[in-house]
Amino acid sequence: MPRGHFDTPGLFDQPTWLLGMVRYLAQQPGSRRQYGIAPHQDSGIFTLLYTDGGAGLEMCPDWTGSGVHRDYEMLDDQLSWQPVPHLEGHWVENFGTLLHRWTNGLCKPTLHRVVPHNPGTERYSLPFFYEPNIDAKIECLGSCVHLQEPLAPTCPGQIALDQMAVTRPPAFMAGVIDHDS
């Protein structure tokens, strides 16, 4: 890859980014809610996450699945989840699905979720999502083509439209999962 590749006009001169402030409500007795946020992969290049240290953030290190934001395979009861340790003053970094596409699968997106751990305890986090221009051409980097057949080029805007076109029950998005439906 040539030096300065990511400085090419049209990639990051008008990046998309979002800083969120997330409050996970305390689990109420008798609640059916399984997740603060259901299993997913972030769709950008990377996410930086600062948390209050409260338990609940988990990752699935052995995930080799889809490379999309969400799908039902991420709800498989056979997946093995590990708590993400909190290191005071440190940020958590998640690779996203765009980085996966750019590197032809070399960088795996982080499958993660938030589950309620301590009844009656709220959890707070600050996620910072970073993506290239909404119309940036995302295609396999030349140095990664040899790994496998590259995915077709796309752009973040098209990926967002594709995600919105996929219909899922509202309960899936809210974290109340009925595995029988």
Side-chain angles (χ1 to χ4, degrees), residues 3 58 74 105 111 175:
R3 184 180 195 96
E58 296 181 341
M74 296 173 182
L111 179 60

Side-chain angles (χ1 to χ4, degrees), residues 30-109:
S31 173
R32 290 183 41 221
R33 182 175 288 276
Q34 292 175 263
Y35 304 108
I37 187 165
H40 68 284
Q41 298 172 127
D42 295 337
S43 57
I45 296 174
F46 65 84
T47 302
L48 297 176
L49 179 70
Y50 193 81
T51 75
D52 65 358
L57 178 61
E58 296 181 341
M59 64 175 282
C60 183
D62 300 326
W63 175 252
T64 58
S66 61
V68 297
H69 179 64
R70 287 196 177 173
D71 68 36
Y72 282 105
E73 292 175 12
M74 296 173 182
L75 301 173
D76 187 338
D77 290 334
Q78 301 304 308
L79 292 176
S80 175
W81 294 91
Q82 297 177 357
V84 175
H86 175 72
L87 299 173
E88 188 67 38
H90 289 78
W91 293 71
V92 173
E93 180 180 0
N94 289 328
F95 290 152
T97 58
L98 284 182
L99 189 60
H100 174 80
R101 185 177 284 269
W102 245 329
T103 64
N104 205 20
L106 185 63
C107 290
K108 301 287 183 195

Side-chain angles (χ1 to χ4, degrees), residues 130-145:
Y130 190 74
E131 300 187 25
N133 297 6
I134 195 88
D135 60 349
K137 185 176 181 181
I138 307 297
E139 61 184 330
C140 179
L141 297 170
S143 58
C144 299
V145 171

